[in-house]
């Protein structure tokens, strides 16, 4: 998202996180009555979308779907703070009240996985919050008790984020009711994240995993196979 709120590119565009098939969101966009904005790709004016027709700015109704056109007019909305959704396939935009999801869209399910075998925990809880002080795991320490899910032979304690949090940036603490990690900040709920909690309660997020390539060479009748 680019506009008067970013000095029309003088400061960084508001990056949107992918939260569904072709669907992106930027949460917590503060708009004044005088602000105007558009959607563009890669901080470049070569591909940008705005309002259809001759009216500028085109006032977008909060909570309603609006279809944009390439190179269209600047957009505006009533003053407020919004979650802005954009579909890159249909060019539809929704300016939603914070925490609300457009009707008819499907958001990705996002899970946080924690491997706590190194510190030897036999249970795991999650405490999750955002910069505004909202708590998403019950509001009472130690937070939400997690269940175990085995992924590729590893037992992870798992938290599935509520759908309305998809695309949001939060902070988390993993704990067993007494021992706990430090605050883990800047966790973007745009995809699943895997955490390995070390014996000293430090952590690694999304460590590189082994990837294998498998080749069936029975059709050409090969008795051996090499990879270059």
């Amino acid at each position: 998202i680019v506009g008067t709120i970013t000095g029309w590119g003088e400061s960084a565009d508001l990056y949107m996180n992918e939260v569904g098939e072709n669907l992106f969101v930027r949460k917590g966009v503060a708009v004044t009555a005088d602000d105007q904005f558009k959607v563009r790709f890669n901080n470049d004016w070569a591909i940008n979308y705005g309002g259809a027709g001759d009216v500028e700015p085109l006032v977008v109704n909060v909570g309603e779907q609006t279809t944009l056109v390439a190179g269209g007019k600047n957009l505006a909305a009533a003053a407020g703070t919004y979650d802005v959704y954009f579909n890159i396939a249909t060019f539809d935009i929704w300016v939603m009240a914070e925490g609300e999801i457009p009707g008819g869209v499907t958001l990705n399910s996002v899970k946080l996985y924690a491997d706590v075998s190194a510190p030897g925990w036999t249970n795991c809880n999650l405490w999750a919050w955002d910069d505004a002080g909202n708590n998403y795991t019950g509001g009472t320490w130690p937070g939400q008790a997690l269940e175990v899910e085995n992924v590729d032979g590893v037992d992870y304690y798992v938290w599935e984020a509520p759908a309305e949090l998809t695309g949001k940036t939060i902070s988390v603490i993993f704990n067993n009711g007494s021992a706990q990690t430090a605050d883990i900040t800047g966790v973007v709920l745009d995809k699943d994240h895997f955490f390995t909690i070390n014996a000293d309660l430090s952590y690694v997020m999304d460590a590189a995993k082994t990837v294998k390539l498998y080749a069936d060479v029975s059709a050409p009748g090969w008795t051996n196979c090499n990879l270059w």
Side-chain angles (χ1 to χ4, degrees):
I1 299 173
V2 63
T4 54
I5 48 181
T6 65
W8 290 112
E10 290 180 4
S11 59
D13 291 2
L14 302 182
Y15 177 79
M16 305 181 82
N17 293 312
E18 188 171 9
V19 293
E21 184 175 3
N22 298 316
L23 187 67
F24 290 74
V25 69
R26 175 69 184 218
K27 299 204 170 190
V29 179
V31 177
T32 71
D34 297 323
D35 278 325
Q36 298 182 26
F37 58 93
K38 299 183 78 172
V39 175
R40 66 175 179 172
F41 293 168
N42 302 325
N43 300 311
D44 188 346
W45 286 113
I47 305 177
N48 72 89
Y49 290 90
D54 298 324
V55 176
E56 189 169 50
L58 174 67
V59 178
V60 177
N61 293 322
V62 175
E64 296 184 7
Q65 174 182 322
T66 302
T67 302
L68 305 184
V69 296
K73 301 297 184 180
N74 295 344
L75 306 173
T81 301
Y82 303 108
D83 295 343
V84 180
Y85 290 81
F86 183 66
N87 187 306
I88 64 172
T90 62
F91 313 127
D92 293 321
I93 194 171
W94 296 262
V95 175
M96 305 297 298
E98 284 190 289
E100 293 190 2
I101 302 170
V105 305
T106 300
L107 302 183
N108 294 334
S109 172
V110 176
K111 295 181 179 181
L112 302 185
Y113 295 82
D115 174 4
V116 298
S117 57
W121 293 359
T122 56
N123 71 296
C124 184
N125 309 294
L126 181 75
W127 181 261
W129 73 99
D130 64 17
D131 287 346
N134 299 304
N135 184 279
Y136 300 111
T137 46
T140 302
W141 183 262
Q144 185 174 332
L146 307 183
E147 299 293 330
V148 173
E149 180 179 328
N150 188 279
V151 180
D152 296 332
V154 178
D155 285 336
Y156 290 94
Y157 285 89
V158 184
W159 180 67
E160 182 170 357
E164 63 270 18
L165 297 187
T166 300
K168 190 175 181 66
T169 300
I170 65 170
S171 300
V172 301
I173 293 172
F174 293 101
N175 72 87
N176 68 352
S178 54
Q180 66 183 66
T181 66
D183 295 359
I184 303 174
T185 60
V187 179
V188 182
L189 299 177
D190 57 347
K191 63 179 181 179
D192 293 347
H193 294 290
F194 288 80
F195 296 83
T196 300
I197 310 304
N198 299 317
D200 63 359
L201 301 183
S202 62
Y203 72 93
V204 177
M205 185 174 77
D206 297 332
K209 294 181 178 294
T210 299
V211 176
K212 296 181 180 180
L213 305 183
Y214 296 84
D216 175 5
V217 297
S218 57
W222 293 0
T223 57
N224 70 299
C225 184
N226 309 293
L227 179 73
W228 181 261

